[in-house]
Amino acid sequence: MIGRLNHIAIAVPDLAAAVETYRDQLGARIGPAQALPEHGVTVVFIDTGNTKVELLEPLGAASPIAAFLEKNPAGGMHHLCFEVPDIAAAMARLQAGGARVLGDGRPRIGAHGNPVIFLHPKDFTGTLIELEQVPA
Ligand SMILES: CC[C@H](C(=O)O)C(=O)SCCNC(=O)CCNC(=O)[C@H](O)C(C)(C)COP(=O)(O)OP(=O)(O)OC[C@H]1O[C@@H](n2cnc3c(N)ncnc32)[C@H](O)[C@@H]1OP(=O)(O)O
Ligand SMILES: [Co+2]
């Protein structure tokens, strides 16, 4: 079911500082900042050629990553995003297997304009998993 690793996400307390570190220390090419108020984050993507790194900071008082940053104040690995060709079929298969889809259980549009879902970390070896529908 899962295909390519679309991105590895790192939650950070200060996106501007993280961008400076990745750009100046690691020579990364940073994409534009995207405010995603519907997701409670502001993100940038770094394209490494074989995948992407998503740096994300909280946006708004109800950010879903606020509690994560309280536990990890310097930031940390937040989620992995895998590509699937059909998010509805993936959801049905996963829910049939007992996996919990986070939020209201329906796909939402993510930063790339594609439908995404999130799976509970406790069901996937302590790792928050995002699935993004990308046509095969
Ligand atoms: C979609 C736009 C963009 C894109 O790529 O296109 C994004 O990726 S936006 C990313 C931000 N949005 C989300 O992360 C949505 C899904 N996340 C959530 O719903 C919450 O973050 C949730 C439910 C995973 C955790 O929420 P919270 O930390 O407030 O709840 P708990 O404290 O009850 O956590 C439960 C349990 O899970 C552990 N946890 C939390 N976050 C993570 C994580 N990132 N990786 C691994 N484990 C995580 C937390 O420590 C708790 O464990 P416990 O042992 O009970 O303490
Ligand atoms: Co993501």
Side-chain angles (χ1 to χ4, degrees):
M1 172 171 45
I2 59 171
R4 294 176 351 129
L5 176 67
N6 181 276
H7 60 269
I8 298 168
I10 299 172
V12 298
D14 179 339
L15 186 59
V19 164
E20 201 173 295
T21 298
Y22 268 77
R23 186 189 57 224
D24 301 346
Q25 305 284 338
L26 294 173
R29 291 187 306 280
I30 316 279
Q34 289 175 260
L36 302 171
E38 68 280 13
H39 293 285
V41 292
T42 302
V43 306
V44 299
F45 282 93
I46 295 159
D47 190 332
T48 61
N50 61 329
T51 188
K52 298 180 190 70
V53 173
E54 178 183 44
L55 302 177
L56 58 157
E57 76 170 1
L59 176 60
S63 175
I65 68 169
F68 179 90
L69 285 169
E70 279 170 27
K71 291 176 186 163
N72 307 276
M77 299 275 278
H78 185 259
H79 63 270
L80 299 179
C81 180
F82 297 106
E83 295 178 0
V84 293
D86 181 338
I87 199 118
M91 262 180 59
R93 176 171 159 184
L94 287 158
Q95 288 174 315
R100 288 170 284 181
V101 176
L102 295 169
D104 65 7
R106 288 178 302 167
R108 300 171 65 195
I109 299 304
H112 299 135
N114 297 322
V116 302
I117 61 169
F118 287 89
L119 304 172
H120 202 292
K122 294 301 181 191
D123 299 336
F124 292 90
T125 65
T127 305
L128 179 61
I129 300 290
E130 177 183 6
L131 299 181
E132 178 177 339
Q133 180 172 291
V134 175

